[in-house]
Amino acid sequence: MGDDALILSHRLAEWAGSAPVLEEEVALANLALDLLGQARALLSLAGDEDALAFRRDARAFRNVRLVELPNGDFAHTMVRQLFFSAWQRPLFARLAERPGPFAAIAAAAGPEIAYHLDHAVTWTLRLGDGTAESHARAARAVAALWRHTGELFEPVPGLDWLDPAALRADWTAHVTGTLRAATLPVPGEPPPPGAPFTGGGRRGLHTEAFGRLLAEMQHLHRSHPGAAW
Amino acid sequence: MNARAETEHAGNGTRDHTANDTAGRAANDTAGRAAAFERTIAADERIEPRDWMPDAYRATLVRQIAQHAHSEIIGMQPEADWITRAPSLRRKAILIAKVQDEAGHGLYLYGAAETLGTSREELLDKLHAGRHKYSSIFNYPTLTWADVGAIGWLVDGAAITNQVPLCRCSYGPYARAMVRICKEESFHQRQGYELLHTLAHGTSAQRAMAQDAVDRWWWPSLMMFGPPDDASPRTEQSMAWRIKRHTNDELRQRFVDICVPQAEALGLTLPDPELRWNEERGHWDFGPVDWAEFRAVLAGEGPCNEERISRRRRAHAEGAWVREAASAYAAKHPRGDAAPHVPAAPNVPAAPNVPAAPNVRAGAS
């Protein structure tokens, strides 16, 4: 989960200086910062945040593929955010209710995730039900990203009590409701866990783009072994 | 302020609408308002958007505030370039927050400029067309991570030295924007200093990186104060209007005096062999700025002018369909019908600090 937040934060921060409108510079940076904060809290539970972020290779990262995919256009970024935040929200709500090391982090992240989801829903509506071009772009984004959603409902290692099917029901209700309201086609059920070529991130099997992301992210840190920053 | 309001009310109350008198009346009104304007400036009070102001005062402010806003927006680029390469998660978070603040400063400043009767769209169009300038400093490249620290320490430091007096500028909306901006800028400046301090006390490679960055950013930072006083034609009028409080050379000197001891504390040197303390003046003497380089950068011939403005134009052009979608959606779903039939979130408190919805106007762009 820390890797999910870390990598999505990195992708969102790539928008800095290139957003379609000034308010979205602020909003996208806000999302990136929230997710980076979540990543730092979660990675710190597991060890040294910088060692985990900067000194693991791609095969050791456990994030879902959905978050590592290149940003594409603004519709692609917003639909990806809708899919991710609609999954993160019920997950973190459940984590917040269970005693354990995640509870405080999940509780603090709850309002952030609610904002992320609200922002993604608002833009999905605007783009889906905006102009012919924005509708077509949003529909393309939904179609392209859909196959990567099944992975969200694979069992999360270490969280055996968590019922992926329950998350899935919550996610499907929210996402399909939003897509319909946005006049966008709903592609049907997400691919089931284990469907061929739709997952693998949780096992360290990533997309080609991910290696390049890490090369950029880790280059400076790795060039100065042992240095403090 | 009160004096001026009284004058205007008196003017309105006694207005005579006979045709013969209209022209003379208008001339008297203008003279009265101009006198009220002069009194407000002389009393060191604030001019507000609805107040009468000379056309040239308005034009000067639009130019200066817009240029300031553009600098915030273009200034995001050299730093944002290092977000994806930041060497620790803490530094990455600080840098994202800083770039976000700069976008926020751009928003305040375009807002302040809009109170003068222009629009953000119009100002951005002028920036993209090359008819408006932005700060010369952002045409220099960020070549290493240490540049992020040098920008914080020197570039934000120079900006603060320039901007603190603007918190008392005669135009109210600009002065108030500057109060907020200066608080955040001084925070950024301390972070930049701290970043350089860490590098200067790190490995020999980090130390060399820090020194190299300071060597490259020092002179361009001194250029941020603008041309020398004898070549700054607008200074006198801006000071008379209390838009500016100090001349370019005064502020530049103040900045040098602040930086020299800070550089010593960092354990770094400033790249100026003529830098020495002048007991008589009570200031640091420093070598001549390369004004030919300054003019070349302002004329668009600096190292990154072309790529900065191209990237800005590209972001704007590639975002056009998004802004059009937002306008089309707003037209289809007037107020109150913004989010139809989306399932409500259970048990999740409302998000604090939600940014305002994008200010995209129907029919704009």
Side-chain angles (χ1 to χ4, degrees):
Chain A
M1 289 185 299
D3 285 351
D4 290 338
L6 177 69
I7 300 305
L8 185 54
S9 165
H10 185 94
R11 283 298 188 204
L12 287 165
E14 289 175 351
W15 273 101
S18 301
V21 58
L22 210 40
E23 284 82 354
E24 283 304 300
E25 294 284 3
V26 178
L28 292 165
N30 205 1
L31 296 176
L33 264 182
D34 287 347
L35 287 161
L36 184 52
Q38 294 168 19
R40 294 180 66 191
L42 290 164
L43 293 178
S44 295
L45 280 183
D48 175 74
E49 61 176 34
D50 285 339
L52 288 168
F54 295 104
R55 296 204 289 275
R56 273 183 300 159
D57 288 325
R59 290 285 282 111
F61 271 81
R62 292 288 176 265
N63 56 285
V64 292
R65 291 180 177 190
L66 179 70
V67 299
E68 76 198 35
L69 300 170
N71 285 331
D73 64 13
F74 187 73
H76 199 92
T77 294
M78 282 301 121
V79 170
R80 180 182 65 195
Q81 197 64 44
L82 172 71
F83 290 173
F84 183 78
S85 298
W87 168 78
Q88 218 191 11
R89 192 190 56 166
L91 171 65
F92 276 52
R94 283 166 175 76
L95 287 173
E97 285 164 6
R98 270 186 85 89
F102 298 117
I105 297 171
E112 295 171 354
I113 296 166
Y115 159 64
H116 302 175
L117 184 56
D118 185 51
H119 181 256
V121 166
T122 305
W123 273 109
T124 305
L125 294 172
R126 284 192 187 124
L127 299 178
D129 196 15
T131 63
E133 182 182 6
S134 70
H135 178 88
R137 285 177 182 261
R140 275 205 295 279
V142 171
L145 290 167
W146 195 257
R147 64 183 291 222
H148 297 285
T149 57
E151 195 180 11
L152 294 170
F153 308 108
E154 288 179 7
V156 180
L159 300 181
D160 304 330
W161 54 269
L162 189 70
D163 177 13
L167 286 185
R168 189 187 181 105
D170 203 321
W171 184 89
T172 305
H174 206 106
V175 167
T176 57
T178 303
L179 294 179
R180 286 206 186 91
T183 73
L184 290 165
V186 179
E189 284 290 300
F197 312 121
T198 64
R202 296 272 186 246
R203 286 171 285 133
L205 296 169
H206 294 279
T207 57
E208 288 183 342
F210 190 54
R212 285 189 289 278
L213 181 154
L214 288 187
E216 183 171 348
M217 185 171 96
Q218 297 179 338
H219 164 262
L220 179 59
H221 184 97
R222 285 187 187 258
S223 299
H224 297 265
W229 301 95
Chain B
M1 176 105 184
N2 287 337
R4 183 178 55 261
E6 278 164 25
T7 309
E8 285 185 4
H9 286 145
N12 289 337
T14 57
R15 181 161 290 160
D16 183 341
H17 288 288
T18 59
N20 274 348
D21 211 20
T22 305
R25 196 77 231 173
N28 283 341
D29 277 0
T30 303
R33 288 169 177 175
F37 173 84
E38 293 300 339
R39 277 198 300 278
T40 304
I41 297 287
D44 211 0
E45 289 171 0
R46 303 282 90 85
I47 302 293
E48 297 298 335
R50 287 155 165 253
D51 295 338
W52 183 90
M53 63 188 86
D55 290 343
Y57 176 86
R58 187 184 297 274
T60 296
L61 277 167
V62 167
R63 187 183 48 77
Q64 183 173 337
I65 299 173
Q67 186 168 316
H68 194 162
H70 300 330
S71 300
E72 297 282 356
I73 301 311
I74 297 283
M76 293 167 70
Q77 290 184 28
E79 292 177 285
D81 219 37
W82 278 92
I83 290 175
T84 54
R85 290 174 286 172
S88 75
L89 296 186
R90 174 173 164 264
R91 291 291 178 198
K92 186 172 184 164
I94 290 171
L95 189 53
I96 295 172
K98 181 178 181 192
V99 172
Q100 182 186 30
D101 282 347
E102 283 159 4
H105 296 172
L107 278 171
Y108 307 155
L109 288 163
Y110 286 121
E114 286 183 332
T115 64
L116 291 160
T118 181
S119 71
R120 194 205 305 183
E121 289 78 8
E122 197 180 325
L123 299 176
L124 280 173
D125 286 347
K126 285 182 177 156
L127 171 67
H128 298 150
R131 287 193 289 133
H132 269 178
K133 294 195 187 319
Y134 54 87
S135 179
S136 60
I137 195 81
F138 299 118
N139 293 310
Y140 289 86
T142 41
L143 301 179
T144 72
W145 171 251
D147 290 33
V148 171
I151 290 177
W153 175 43
L154 295 173
V155 174
D156 293 333
I160 294 162
T161 308
N162 255 330
Q163 291 170 8
V164 163
L166 288 173
C167 297
R168 294 184 295 128
C169 151
S170 60
Y171 188 57
Y174 192 26
R176 287 188 290 274
M178 291 322 303
V179 171
R180 292 179 68 177
I181 290 172
C182 283
K183 278 184 197 157
E184 291 177 348
E185 293 287 9
S186 52
F187 188 56
H188 298 160
Q189 199 241 357
R190 282 203 300 278
Q191 287 169 333
Y193 181 86
E194 194 254 329
L195 191 163
L196 278 184
H197 191 272
T198 304
L199 294 180
H201 294 81
T203 65
S204 58
Q206 286 177 306
R207 189 185 162 70
M209 196 192 278
Q211 183 62 59
D212 170 62
V214 169
D215 289 348
R216 284 182 289 106
W217 287 91
W218 173 248
W219 291 107
S221 301
L222 293 190
M223 295 176 196
M224 286 176 69
F225 296 93
D229 292 347
D230 55 15
S232 180
R234 293 195 189 97
T235 293
E236 198 181 333
Q237 179 62 75
S238 284
M239 287 180 74
W241 277 330
R242 306 229 174 154
I243 296 172
K244 282 180 89 157
R245 299 277 173 164
H246 310 281
T247 71
N248 296 349
D249 287 334
E250 284 166 10
L251 291 169
R252 194 171 2 251
Q253 180 70 58
R254 183 179 297 181
F255 178 67
V256 172
D257 291 346
I258 291 168
C259 285
V260 173
Q262 289 182 343
E264 278 169 19
L266 283 170
L268 298 172
T269 58
L270 295 171
D272 181 357
E274 295 179 42
L275 200 60
R276 60 181 59 86
W277 177 250
N278 184 325
E279 192 67 52
E280 226 167 90
R281 293 202 306 127
H283 290 292
W284 286 87
D285 287 339
F286 55 98
V289 175
D290 182 350
W291 295 115
E293 174 179 321
F294 176 72
R295 282 191 299 274
V297 174
L298 273 193
E301 293 153 18
C304 298
N305 296 60
E306 182 53 38
E307 79 187 74
R308 298 285 187 250
I309 202 70
S310 297
R311 177 153 169 211
R312 195 41 247 162
R313 281 193 201 119
R314 193 164 64 243
H316 192 72
E318 288 177 358
W321 70 270
V322 177
R323 298 188 298 274
E324 283 157 17
S327 300
Y329 183 84
K332 281 189 227 180
H333 301 273
R335 223 169 268 274
D337 185 24
H341 315 307
V342 174
N347 301 329
V348 181
N353 302 323
V354 175
N359 172 23
V360 182
R361 290 178 200 140
S365 82

